[in-house]
Amino acid sequence: MMEAQYRAPGSVDEAVALMAGAGGKGRVLAGGTDLLVQMRAGMVAPGLIVDVKRIAEMTAISQIAGAWRVGAAVTGAEIHDHAGLKKAWPGVVEAINLIGSKQVQGRASAGGNLCNASPAADSVPALVAAGAIATVQGPNGRREVPVEQIPAGPGKTSLKPGEIVVSFTLPARPAGSGDAYLRLIPRTEMDIAVVGCGVNLTMKDGTCTAARVALGAVAPTVLLVEGAAKALVGSKLDDKAIEAAAAACRAACKPIDDKRGTIVYRTKIAGVLLKRAVAIAAERARSN
Ligand SMILES: Cc1cc2nc3c(=O)[nH]c(=O)nc-3n(C[C@H](O)[C@H](O)[C@H](O)COP(=O)(O)OP(=O)(O)OC[C@H]3O[C@@H](n4cnc5c(N)ncnc54)[C@H](O)[C@@H]3O)c2cc1C
């Protein structure tokens, strides 16, 4: 097996230049909780590993005009300890903190979770529901990409060769907003989602004025379910509106049958999780 070279640059520009020089054989290393497992299993054999954990911009959390910018390589543990982010986006924080165990949380990042491109990645439905924008840098400069446009299928992203996700921007939110993420797993922890559901709502005078709903593990990529959001917006989140949103979620599902769940089960659970996540997000919105 070819030995991989290891570099730990101090800037995004340097990391991008290293990736460009690796002729398609470079891999970004953030926490390594997916990459190292895949290397050990012989699934990937990079010629160059570019460790991004020493890049300040990729490992910092900051607030800019009410929006939150979270470096793509910030660990789950650091996100867990960030009071401001937790208050603004509890659903996003909970989703990231569901990844693995305490040990995994000490390394794993949302950037790695997104770029590993598992349809069941826990942070992705919450980021998509939040309307998060990824800042991506590659050989042709920077671009801003809605998170839902990055996964392209199991293990595949829409990133161009040499591109790195630098950070995520969670938009400033109006008063009366709340988000939530729920997943179903066959065990109590350390398992892959059978279904994941992220919901982000804004409420004004008892009426839902904005909504985003995303589902994980029910299709080759995380789904933004616009029909579910449409059913919620303009309603008082009454049973009829919530049932219509759940029906839109069930209709959007194109899941696989596997040992964790059948197509019928996953489809039914998508509606159940939607209802529960809406209840939590609405409660949070009312108290904000
Ligand atoms: C025991 C265990 C339990 C787990 N449980 C869960 C779970 O419950 N839920 C879940 O969703 N996942 C789980 N995972 C999977 C994994 O921990 C997560 O996907 C994690 O978020 C990956 O982040 P990382 O920083 O370790 O990524 P890495 O392993 O460093 O990278 C993953 C992939 O993304 C690429 N990459 C990383 N960062 C970037 C970037 N900024 N730009 C471009 N490409 C990048 C890498 O090249 C690699 O291909 C688990 C893994 C283990 C080992």
Side-chain angles (χ1 to χ4, degrees):
M1 194 174 75
M2 190 180 67
E3 294 262 314
Q5 294 283 311
Y6 170 87
R7 295 282 184 279
S11 71
V12 177
D13 286 353
E14 236 181 297
V16 166
L18 282 165
M19 289 290 284
K25 296 248 185 271
R27 280 305 265 266
V28 172
L29 173 83
T33 61
D34 280 315
L35 185 63
L36 297 184
V37 175
Q38 290 162 9
M39 285 173 68
R40 285 214 178 130
M43 291 159 66
V44 292
L48 175 70
I49 291 172
V50 180
D51 185 340
V52 292
K53 287 266 190 183
R54 291 191 198 162
I55 300 175
E57 190 182 358
M58 293 184 67
T59 50
I61 301 175
S62 58
Q63 200 177 15
I64 304 152
W68 286 95
R69 184 163 291 177
V70 182
V74 173
T75 64
E78 287 163 310
I79 287 169
H80 177 268
D81 289 345
H82 199 288
L85 191 61
K86 228 179 200 173
K87 185 163 181 343
W89 292 101
V92 170
V93 171
E94 280 164 359
I96 294 169
N97 289 157
L98 279 171
I99 297 170
S101 58
K102 268 244 172 329
Q103 293 90 332
V104 171
Q105 285 287 307
R107 293 288 310 170
S109 65
N113 199 222
L114 175 67
C115 297
N116 187 57
S118 160
D122 279 307
S123 70
V124 182
L127 287 169
V128 169
I133 304 292
T135 298
V136 172
Q137 187 171 326
N140 297 322
R142 283 202 169 190
R143 60 192 183 106
E144 306 285 309
V145 189
V147 165
E148 58 270 25
Q149 291 178 15
I150 291 188
K156 288 198 190 100
T157 69
S158 63
L159 294 175
K160 305 202 174 88
E163 279 190 329
I164 293 175
V165 177
V166 176
S167 61
F168 299 102
T169 301
L170 298 165
R173 45 191 2 212
S177 299
D179 72 328
Y181 174 76
L182 291 175
R183 71 172 183 185
L184 179 86
I185 56 173
R187 307 193 302 177
T188 52
E189 57 181 36
M190 299 282 285
D191 208 338
I192 296 169
V194 171
V195 181
C197 179
V199 171
N200 177 26
L201 300 174
T202 302
M203 302 294 293
K204 191 158 189 267
D205 302 328
T207 298
C208 177
T209 56
R212 281 173 72 92
V213 172
L215 291 173
V218 293
T221 61
V222 165
L223 299 174
L224 175 66
V225 190
E226 283 169 0
K230 244 186 215 157
L232 298 173
V233 172
S235 82
K236 300 222 174 270
L237 299 185
D238 50 281
D239 290 351
K240 198 172 153 220
I242 292 175
E243 183 45 49
C249 283
R250 289 191 294 268
C253 290
K254 297 176 207 78
I256 53 166
D257 254 323
D258 73 3
K259 63 184 176 193
R260 286 194 174 74
T262 60
I263 291 171
V264 172
Y265 183 59
R266 286 176 199 262
T267 304
K268 183 174 161 82
I269 294 301
V272 173
L273 289 190
L274 175 279
K275 291 181 186 179
R276 293 181 187 176
V278 165
I280 298 168
E283 185 54 40
R284 289 173 173 165
R286 286 186 197 108
S287 57
N288 265 336

